[in-house]
Amino acid sequence: MNDLETMKRAKSYIEMLANGIDPLTGETIHDDSVINNVRISRCLFYVSDVLKRAIDNDGEFGKKYIHALRPFSITPEQAEKITISEDPVPVSIFARQINEVIDEDVKPLSAVTITNWLCENGYLAEEISGGKKRRVSTAKGVSAGIETVDSVSRDGIPYKKNIYTEQAQRFIVKNLDNISGNIPK
């Protein structure tokens, strides 16, 4: 039996256990068995799903599976479901909100991709301060709702960060097709 066949058999056994069935006899496992504990059952379903993904990926784990993702894309219906925060948020938070509505087999949109597009189009500019390169909002960025504010790290070190107002978030959503065109393949 090769590795892929072993994975398929293991997945089958784990799935049966998760459903409270003895995989060797086909009999229902007693309710008081540890296998019927909800937390154990959920773990078994999780492992079964991991094995399914590996099986679907010809028995491979990791990078090969990641490359099987389609390039970032979003439908108008999905874009309407993006949570727009009334409070200004960092780009990383907003990227996460975008990625919550896309299909599972689509490569997520990164905050770096959004930031790079904003720089390339004049909404952010690079400046060097204290020997560190920072991206700050330009006048064009401010008009789009991107604000560069002073902040302090957990270690008490002051720094500048960009926050995206509701207006900026809507601007990014409106430009997702243009932004996603910048995603490296």
Side-chain angles (χ1 to χ4, degrees):
M1 188 176 334
N2 66 31
D3 284 346
L4 196 54
E5 290 170 347
T6 302
M7 282 184 197
K8 288 178 182 178
R9 178 170 289 173
K11 180 189 175 305
S12 172
Y13 283 8
I14 289 171
E15 218 169 76
M16 290 178 81
L17 286 169
N19 285 305
I21 298 168
D22 182 329
L24 302 176
T25 65
E27 295 176 9
T28 301
I29 298 173
H30 297 289
D31 288 341
D32 60 347
S33 171
V34 69
I35 293 293
N36 284 322
N37 178 292
V38 172
R39 289 173 31 200
I40 300 294
S41 181
R42 285 184 185 151
C43 287
L44 292 170
F45 278 120
Y46 172 78
V47 172
S48 174
D49 184 57
V50 169
L51 284 170
K52 179 189 181 310
R53 285 187 269 152
I55 291 165
D56 290 347
N57 198 35
D58 296 324
E60 297 289 327
F61 291 92
K63 291 184 181 181
K64 186 175 176 186
Y65 183 76
I66 291 169
H67 293 298
L69 295 177
R70 294 185 293 132
F72 177 84
S73 65
I74 190 165
T75 66
E77 294 78 20
Q78 290 169 325
E80 287 179 18
K81 293 179 184 175
I82 296 171
T83 302
I84 304 289
S85 173
E86 291 179 12
D87 298 322
V89 296
V91 71
S92 58
I93 299 293
F94 192 60
R96 198 173 314 136
Q97 290 169 214
I98 292 167
N99 293 326
E100 286 177 2
V101 302
I102 62 173
D103 295 333
E104 286 183 19
D105 65 338
V106 170
K107 185 175 182 181
L109 181 65
S110 73
V112 171
T113 299
I114 296 170
T115 303
N116 287 345
W117 184 85
L118 291 167
C119 280
E120 290 169 10
N121 289 279
Y123 296 94
L124 295 176
E126 290 184 352
E127 74 173 20
I128 298 177
S129 175
K132 293 190 176 191
K133 193 185 320 182
R134 303 248 185 252
R135 292 180 171 182
V136 295
S137 187
T138 62
K140 190 175 177 181
V142 170
S143 69
I146 304 168
E147 300 174 2
T148 301
V149 297
D150 292 319
S151 193
V152 179
S153 73
R154 290 181 229 191
D155 300 330
I157 300 169
Y159 70 99
K160 293 190 180 288
K161 73 176 182 179
N162 294 315
I163 56 173
Y164 295 75
T165 64
E166 182 178 349
Q167 175 189 354
Q169 294 168 57
R170 292 188 190 288
F171 172 77
I172 290 169
V173 170
K174 181 180 171 187
N175 285 283
L176 280 175
D177 285 341
N178 296 325
I179 293 168
S180 64
N182 279 0
I183 295 175
K185 302 295 184 224

